[in-house]
């Protein structure tokens, strides 16, 4: 860890709150919802975004740019096994 920031844990009822500066939140791209997990005795806080978020838009752009074509050549010399047995 290059930059270490110390802060106080604040107890509110049954919850413990850890203030995180806006700079850090923006730097790591946290949004409204986060995931918190324990890994090797440390808390890990990460964005709870869908891992495929934005894929539909990217696929649309690929199609518009013609980047969604197969790279392999079409196979024309299929064997009988290829035609009947391959699934």
């Amino acid at each position: 860890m290059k930059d270490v920031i110390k802060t106080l844990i604040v107890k509110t009822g049954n919850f413990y709150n850890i203030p995180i500066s806006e700079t850090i939140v923006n730097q790591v791209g946290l949004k409204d919802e986060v995931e918190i997990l324990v890994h090797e005795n440390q808390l890990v806080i990460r964005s709870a975004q869908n891992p495929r978020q934005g894929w539909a838009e990217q696929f649309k752009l690929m199609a518009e740019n013609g980047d969604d074509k197969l790279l392999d050549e079409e196979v024309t010399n299929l064997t009988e096994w290829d035609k009947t047995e391959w699934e």
Side-chain angles (χ1 to χ4, degrees), residues 6-24:
K6 289 188 178 185
T7 187
L8 295 175
I9 297 175
V10 180
K11 185 171 184 195
T12 307
N14 292 330
F15 293 95
Y16 292 89
N17 302 298
I18 301 171
I20 303 173
S21 74
E22 183 175 6
T23 303
I24 293 173

Side-chain angles (χ1 to χ4, degrees), residues 4 6 17 41 57 74-75 77-79:
V4 176
K6 289 188 178 185
N17 302 298
N41 208 29
E57 294 84 15
E74 184 177 346
V75 177
N77 57 345
L78 298 176
T79 65

Side-chain angles (χ1 to χ4, degrees), residues 1-2 4-5 8 10-11 16 21 27 31-32 38 56-57 68 71 75 86:
M1 282 191 213
K2 188 176 181 181
V4 176
I5 298 172
L8 295 175
V10 180
K11 185 171 184 195
Y16 292 89
S21 74
Q27 182 178 354
K31 302 293 180 193
D32 297 331
V38 177
E57 294 84 15
D68 60 343
L71 298 177
V75 177
W86 180 253

Side-chain angles (χ1 to χ4, degrees), residues 7-87:
T7 187
L8 295 175
I9 297 175
V10 180
K11 185 171 184 195
T12 307
N14 292 330
F15 293 95
Y16 292 89
N17 302 298
I18 301 171
I20 303 173
S21 74
E22 183 175 6
T23 303
I24 293 173
V25 169
N26 292 336
Q27 182 178 354
V28 297
L30 296 179
K31 302 293 180 193
D32 297 331
E33 187 177 18
V34 297
E35 297 174 343
I36 301 174
L37 61 115
V38 177
H39 178 70
E40 297 180 2
N41 208 29
Q42 296 181 353
L43 285 179
V44 177
I45 303 171
R46 62 184 180 202
S47 180
Q49 296 177 358
N50 179 344
R52 293 175 182 86
Q53 185 175 353
W55 280 25
E57 294 84 15
Q58 291 301 314
F59 288 138
K60 183 179 177 186
L61 285 173
M62 285 175 60
E64 289 173 1
N65 293 330
D67 293 333
D68 60 343
K69 308 293 185 243
L70 291 176
L71 298 177
D72 295 334
E73 295 178 17
E74 184 177 346
V75 177
T76 56
N77 57 345
L78 298 176
T79 65
E80 190 60 34
W81 184 88
D82 290 325
K83 295 175 186 175
T84 59
E85 299 294 325
W86 180 253
E87 292 184 19

